[in-house]
Structures are given as structure tokens and as C-alpha cells.
């Protein structure tokens, strides 16, 4: 059974914070370099910014400690989702540029649930239960 919608949104906020936490990333906004192609800059998509221009973003709220194992597990599911959904999730939760309507985010969450269900089906089939 998938997470509730609200539970998934909380997991996505955790995943987004995890994605931004690494100061060694090219511009300080993404931990996973697979997301570099999704960063829009004046120089173009995925280009490194000039030295000394790393972004610092803060949610402006007291947030709980990042649950890294959950963020990494969710990241594996997100990387299996169609690209259009990955772009929406990275834009909204990692880069926080607000791209993506509520319908787009809802579709991306459904895509994550679909990927998780497909993964479970494969595991069950491998175990001889499916």
C-alpha cells in the first residue's frame, strides 16, 4: 500500500533537503549530479556557474534532521520515474523554483507509487509469489 499523499509530500520535502545539503555539488543546490542537467542558469542548462556564486537556500523553518536512508530510497524510485515527473519533483522540492502545478506534482507522486508497485511486483515474482 502506498504512503498517504501527505506522507509522500513530507518524504519529498525530506528528499529535497537531502538533495540540497551537499556544499560540494556544482552550485550547492543539488547533491546528486544527475540533477545538474535540470539546473537552469544564465550560461545554459547544466553549465557550472562562475566561481563564488554558489546558491544558499534555506527553508526558513526549523526542520527535523534529514532522514538520509529514506531520502536515498525515495531517490531510487524517483530516478526510475519518467523524466517529466523527475523534472517537476527536482524543480519543486530540490531547487524550489516552484515549477509545476498541483496537477503536475500529483502526477509525479502517482508515478512514484507506480514505480514502487512495479518494483514490488518484480521482487514478488523473483521470490515465486507472483
Amino acid at each position: 500500500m502506498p504512503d498517504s499523499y501527505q506522507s509522500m509530500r513530507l518524504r519529498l520535502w525530506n528528499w529535497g533537503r537531502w538533495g540540497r545539503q551537499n556544499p560540494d555539488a556544482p552550485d550547492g543546490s543539488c547533491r546528486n549530479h544527475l540533477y545538474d542537467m535540470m539546473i537552469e542558469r544564465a550560461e545554459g542548462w547544466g553549465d557550472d556557474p562562475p566561481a563564488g556564486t554558489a546558491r544558499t537556500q534555506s527553508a526558513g523553518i526549523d526542520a527535523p534532521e534529514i532522514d538520509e536512508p529514506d531520502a536515498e530510497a525515495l531517490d531510487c524510485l524517483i530516478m526510475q520515474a519518467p523524466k517529466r515527473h523527475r523534472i517537476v519533483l527536482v524543480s519543486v522540492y530540490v531547487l524550489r523554483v516552484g515549477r509545476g502545478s498541483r496537477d503536475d506534482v500529483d502526477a509525479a507522486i502517482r508515478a512514484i507509487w507506480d514505480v514502487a508497485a512495479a518494483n514490488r511486483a518484480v521482487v514478488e515474482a523473483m521470490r515465486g509469489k507472483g
Side-chain angles (χ1 to χ4, degrees), residues 7-109:
S7 173
M8 180 57 78
R9 293 284 307 254
L10 292 172
R11 290 182 70 197
L12 285 165
W13 284 115
N14 178 69
W15 169 78
R17 290 175 52 234
W18 170 81
R20 288 188 325 279
Q21 77 169 346
N22 188 350
D24 296 329
D27 72 349
S29 69
C30 289
R31 176 183 185 141
N32 189 330
H33 298 291
L34 293 173
Y35 302 136
D36 291 346
M37 66 179 174
M38 299 179 191
I39 302 171
E40 184 177 5
R41 300 185 177 100
E43 304 86 14
W45 288 89
D47 297 332
D48 288 332
T53 60
R55 278 187 274 182
T56 56
Q57 296 177 335
S58 171
I61 58 172
D62 291 332
E65 200 167 310
I66 294 172
D67 182 349
E68 288 193 36
D70 184 64
E72 290 170 358
L74 188 55
D75 190 60
C76 290
L77 294 175
I78 291 168
M79 289 287 96
Q80 296 174 62
K83 183 176 181 177
R84 68 182 182 277
H85 298 308
R86 293 193 315 262
I87 290 171
V88 167
L89 294 172
V90 169
S91 296
V92 172
Y93 293 100
V94 178
L95 302 177
R96 294 190 182 173
V97 293
R99 293 187 189 135
S101 68
R102 168 117 185 184
D103 289 341
D104 292 339
V105 173
D106 290 349
I109 289 173

